[in-house]
């Protein structure tokens, strides 16, 4: 290993046939799961009323997704490192779609929780599979840019879809929108059947199944990066993923559509930021200082959006876009953690990092709702965790030493 990242040695290598079709399928799958993840936030009041829930209860129901999604990351990583993504992505799309449909089809709280469980179970394969495809189909010098592109697809689709779906929900109702989402999953499944293939060199079926996990868990650096990544992702988990619309309609008196439009600017910013930071990072061969500076700036912009007291949709949207733009560099934490390990544990180390990142939602989504209930509807106290978490992540990144394993340096040919 080296104490800094080497500049990419050959960024113009030929890409093998099948790479872009695999990339397209897993990127769209990530978009699909992210929409399914945040859909309850688009009709939080209506869903809470439908099931007779308080804010805390609604937060708990929504977070069932993460209770299965987060621990499944370890399973997903191990399976991908051993077998590759195709045999798991196909059934995962079906399970996710069935979960969304079940949630919409019932008025029983237990069945709704089961539906949310299935949604999280299927979704757990999306993001890690996407980064796994990038890691095994493309040259190492493209990882930060293309992983940022995966994130951009998810963020842009969510940004556009969230606003559009909010408007449709007002006309058609949230249950019909959920049914339509489930139907879209059927079309994605068919596309994956024909277009998704595994890279020839990706599997390691001869090593013990748990071997990659044991190697990853004993690395202190992996834990450190995973935790700072989780803190960096806090605004998306808490504000973008669930409570943003409610905060903006309550504290800033925005309409539902204006509030969701403003929240969607986080995802627009994340899309641009993840691509830009990935391109810049691959270009200069460094990750650390981009993460440090962008996380600190994100804290400033989110604070302005939440605590300014502004009732201007334009101002709030601008601040949230800038917060998302700075937040896009969170994707570099996956490059940082992957590049410190051998390629045969890439799926596991990416999945572990994602598990810790998503695990923040298990605690902070329902905790936010509980604090809001306790304070009588005061969002400011509950959302103080957003700027504090971002500043903590910047501080943690500041002390990291950048490393790159030889497996993640471009070879002479691909």
């Amino acid at each position: 290993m080296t104490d800094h990242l080497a500049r990419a040695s050959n960024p113009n290598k030929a890409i093998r046939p099948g790479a872009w079709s695999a990339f397209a399928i897993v990127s769209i799958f990530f978009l699909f799961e992210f929409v399914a993840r945040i859909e309850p936030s688009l009709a939080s009041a209506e869903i809470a009323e439908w099931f007779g829930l308080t804010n805390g209860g609604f937060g708990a129901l929504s977070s069932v997704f993460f209770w299965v999604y987060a621990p499944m990351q370890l399973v997903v990583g191990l399976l991908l490192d051993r077998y590759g993504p195709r045999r798991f992505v196909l059934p995962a799309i079906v399970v996710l779609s069935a979960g969304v449909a079940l949630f919409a089809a019932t008025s029983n709280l237990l069945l709704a929780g089961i539906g949310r469980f299935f949604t999280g179970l299927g979704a757990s394969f999306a993001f890690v599979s996407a980064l796994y495809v990038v890691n095994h189909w493309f040259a190492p010098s493209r990882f930060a840019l293309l992983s940022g592109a995966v994130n951009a697809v998810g963020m842009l689709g969510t940004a556009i879809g969230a606003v559009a779906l909010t408007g449709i929900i007002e006309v058609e109702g949230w249950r019909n929108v959920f049914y339509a989402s489930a139907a879209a999953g059927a079309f994605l499944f068919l596309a994956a059947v024909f277009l998704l293939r595994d890279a020839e060199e990706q599997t390691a079926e001869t090593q013990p199944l748990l071997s990659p996990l044991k190697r990853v868990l004993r690395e202190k650096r992996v834990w450190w990066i995973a935790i700072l990544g989780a803190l960096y992702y806090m605004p998306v988990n808490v504000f973008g993923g669930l409570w943003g619309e409610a905060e903006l309609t309550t504290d800033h008196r925005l309409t539902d559509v204006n509030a969701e439009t403003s929240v969607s600017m986080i995802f627009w910013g994340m899309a641009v930021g993840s691509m830009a930071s990935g391109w810049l990072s691959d270009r200069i061969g460094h990750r650390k200082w981009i993460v440090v500076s962008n996380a600190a700036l994100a804290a400033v912009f989110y604070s302005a959006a939440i605590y300014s007291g502004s009732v201007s949709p334009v101002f709030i949207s601008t601040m949230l876009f800038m917060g998302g733009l700075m937040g896009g560099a969170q994707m570099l934490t996956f490059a940082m953690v992957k590049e410190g390990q051998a390629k045969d544990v890439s799926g596991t180390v990416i999945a572990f990092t994602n598990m810790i990142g998503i695990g923040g939602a298990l605690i902070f989504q329902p905790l936010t709702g509980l604090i809001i209930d306790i304070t009588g509807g005061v969002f400011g106290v509950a959302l103080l965790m957003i700027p504090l978490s971002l500043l903590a992540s910047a501080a943690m990144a500041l002390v990291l030493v950048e490393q790159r394993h030889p497996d993640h340096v471009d070879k002479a040919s691909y």
Side-chain angles (χ1 to χ4, degrees):
M1 294 185 185
T2 60
D3 290 335
H4 59 85
L5 293 174
R7 189 177 291 235
S9 59
N10 188 358
N12 298 312
K13 295 173 182 174
I15 298 174
R16 292 171 290 172
W20 287 117
S21 59
F23 177 82
I25 290 296
V26 292
S27 297
I28 295 171
F29 184 27
F30 174 56
L31 161 61
F32 180 47
E33 79 88 355
F34 207 94
V35 171
R37 182 193 309 185
I38 70 163
E39 267 185 322
S41 72
L42 306 182
S44 56
E46 293 89 341
I47 295 174
E49 182 180 1
W50 177 262
F51 292 109
L53 299 173
T54 62
N55 286 322
F58 170 71
L61 175 61
S62 179
S63 71
V64 171
F65 175 102
F66 299 102
W67 282 104
V68 62
Y69 184 106
M72 273 298 295
Q73 294 306 289
L74 291 182
V75 178
V76 169
L78 291 169
L79 292 174
L80 293 180
D81 277 332
R82 188 172 177 85
Y83 301 112
R86 188 179 192 276
R87 70 186 73 182
F88 301 105
V89 167
L90 296 178
I93 295 171
V94 174
V95 171
L96 192 163
S97 302
V100 172
L102 177 59
F103 189 92
T106 184
S107 59
N108 181 284
L109 186 59
L110 176 60
L111 289 178
I114 294 173
R116 195 69 176 152
F117 178 92
F118 282 136
T119 304
L121 180 63
S124 64
F125 286 87
F127 181 73
V128 180
S129 293
L131 266 58
Y132 190 89
V133 165
V134 171
N135 191 53
H136 287 274
W137 276 104
F138 298 90
S141 61
R142 292 188 173 100
F143 183 83
L145 175 60
L146 291 180
S147 61
V150 169
N151 196 52
V153 170
M155 298 301 102
L156 279 176
T158 302
I160 297 169
V163 176
L165 292 179
T166 299
I168 296 172
I169 285 172
E170 291 184 349
V171 178
E172 300 293 339
W174 66 270
R175 298 176 69 201
N176 287 333
V177 168
F178 276 53
Y179 286 136
S181 297
F187 289 101
L188 177 59
F189 170 79
L190 291 175
V193 168
F194 294 103
L195 296 176
L196 179 60
R197 295 290 180 268
D198 290 331
E200 295 175 358
E201 48 78 43
Q202 70 184 14
T203 59
E205 296 191 25
T206 57
Q207 69 172 329
L209 181 62
L210 296 179
S211 176
L213 180 60
K214 293 176 182 177
R215 291 161 59 187
V216 166
L217 291 181
R218 63 172 177 251
E219 292 283 346
K220 293 180 181 179
R221 187 173 185 274
V222 171
W223 285 89
W224 189 265
I225 296 175
I227 292 171
L228 84 85
L231 293 171
Y232 200 167
Y233 201 64
M234 189 67 68
V236 179
N237 272 340
V238 173
F239 199 86
L242 192 63
W243 293 110
E245 181 181 2
E247 192 275 335
L248 294 178
T249 55
T250 302
D251 290 353
H252 302 269
R253 301 192 296 278
L254 301 189
T255 65
D256 288 343
V257 173
N258 281 341
E260 193 54 54
T261 301
S262 295
V263 171
S264 75
M265 298 309 294
I266 295 174
F267 303 112
W268 282 100
M270 288 281 288
V272 178
S274 58
M275 287 283 288
S277 61
W279 174 83
L280 178 61
S281 180
D282 281 342
R283 180 80 174 177
I284 66 176
H286 291 277
R287 323 291 193 200
K288 170 181 173 176
W289 292 107
I290 299 175
V291 171
V292 172
S293 59
N294 284 21
L297 287 171
V300 174
F301 289 119
Y302 277 108
S303 296
I306 296 169
Y307 298 107
S308 66
S310 174
V311 296
S312 167
V314 174
F315 175 81
I316 294 171
S317 294
T318 301
M319 292 300 99
L320 292 178
F321 175 84
M322 293 302 299
L325 183 69
M326 297 300 104
Q330 191 267 347
M331 286 296 298
L332 295 181
T333 61
F334 292 99
M336 294 165 73
V337 76
K338 174 195 74 90
E339 288 165 348
Q341 306 296 316
K343 195 169 187 177
D344 62 348
V345 299
S346 293
T348 300
V349 73
I350 290 170
F352 176 78
T353 305
N354 196 42
M355 180 191 74
I356 300 299
I358 293 299
L362 299 178
I363 300 170
F364 292 106
Q365 278 197 354
L367 178 61
T368 300
L370 180 61
I371 295 174
I372 293 168
D373 286 336
I374 291 173
T375 58
V378 178
F379 284 84
V381 175
L383 296 179
L384 187 61
M385 68 183 73
I386 290 177
L388 294 179
S389 295
L390 289 166
L391 292 174
S393 69
M396 292 180 69
L398 190 63
V399 302
L400 271 177
V401 175
E402 295 189 273
Q403 297 177 347
R404 174 169 284 187
H405 190 279
D407 282 0
H408 302 291
V409 177
D410 285 354
K411 304 301 188 293
S413 61
Y414 199 51

